[in-house]
Amino acid sequence: MKTFVIGISGVTNGGKTTLAKNLQKHLPNCSVISQDDFFKPKSEIEIDTNGFLQYDVLEALNMEKMMSAISCWMESPRHSLVSTHRGSSEEIPILIVEGFLLFNYNTRVYEPPDVPGYFDGHVWPMYLKHRQEVENITWEIVYLDGTKSEEDLFSQVYEDLIQELAKQKCLQVTT
């Protein structure tokens, strides 16, 4: 059975979850696995020298559990009939995996808000460090401009996905 897996990654609180949920609303047979659902308990999160809990590192996540969830989906994806370009029906499940360190392993609203200095002093530097690691990987990765509106980002990603699915002869493109 054909499957299509999409990864969305980026800085903490950068709109990954919002984009994934919007795509899920518009793509047939689409499931979402969010890395945010796999944080370890607070008692297991290390604290840095500034007193900040270290949520922006892989060690804060139960990646084995997340990979198990992805493997379970791959073994038995949720699906329904989708019309292909050939006019026949074919089952083509789509999985969106989203998270801030998605590609570093071989929109959250914070209540209460982050303490002053946390984003600039910890979240952003960790994002830049991890992004550099990802840039050294040879996968086909499309970088989005986070200054664009939520609607513009959705439109760009949705159109790219529809084109890619059409290339793979997975989905009939209708307008």
Side-chain angles (χ1 to χ4, degrees):
M1 170 187 302
K2 290 181 184 179
T3 59
F4 198 78
V5 179
I6 301 159
I8 300 173
S9 190
V11 68
T12 296
N13 206 27
K16 301 173 297 296
T17 302
T18 301
L19 178 59
K21 288 180 179 180
N22 282 338
L23 290 168
Q24 185 178 32
K25 288 179 194 174
H26 291 87
L27 294 170
N29 311 317
C30 187
S31 300
V32 174
I33 294 178
S34 175
Q35 196 172 42
D36 287 350
D37 295 334
F38 297 93
F39 277 108
K40 293 177 181 175
K42 185 177 178 179
S43 63
E44 295 179 30
I45 306 298
E46 293 197 23
I47 299 173
D48 73 3
T49 58
N50 296 316
F52 296 128
L53 289 169
Q54 297 296 290
Y55 282 109
D56 291 287
V57 296
L58 278 173
E59 292 77 20
L61 296 158
N62 186 336
M63 290 301 293
E64 292 79 17
K65 189 174 178 183
M66 181 176 169
M67 295 305 295
S68 177
I70 293 169
S71 294
C72 285
W73 185 93
M74 295 295 289
E75 290 172 12
S76 182
R78 297 183 202 141
H79 57 275
S80 60
L81 295 179
V82 176
S83 177
T84 66
H85 76 288
R86 295 180 295 275
S88 63
S89 292
E90 187 175 346
E91 296 178 352
I92 305 166
I94 299 168
L95 174 63
I96 297 174
V97 183
E98 65 90 8
F100 69 103
L101 287 176
L102 194 59
F103 300 114
N104 297 78
Y105 184 76
N106 198 13
T107 312
R108 290 174 26 176
V109 176
Y110 294 99
E111 291 298 332
D114 289 335
V115 296
Y118 182 68
F119 185 86
D120 292 335
H122 176 71
V123 173
W124 190 250
M126 292 304 290
Y127 167 73
L128 292 176
K129 174 185 178 274
H130 297 306
R131 179 175 168 155
Q132 184 61 50
E133 292 173 4
V134 170
E135 287 174 348
N136 294 330
I137 299 172
T138 59
W139 298 337
E140 182 180 340
I141 296 175
V142 176
Y143 294 94
L144 301 176
D145 180 355
T147 63
K148 290 185 178 180
S149 72
E150 181 181 313
E151 294 80 18
D152 288 346
L153 289 173
F154 169 78
S155 294
Q156 177 187 345
V157 173
Y158 182 74
E159 289 302 317
D160 287 351
L161 291 174
I162 293 299
Q163 288 177 11
E164 185 62 32
L165 288 167
K167 279 187 210 173
Q168 300 214 8
K169 300 177 184 177
C170 292
L171 186 65
Q172 180 178 358
V173 179
T174 58
T175 54

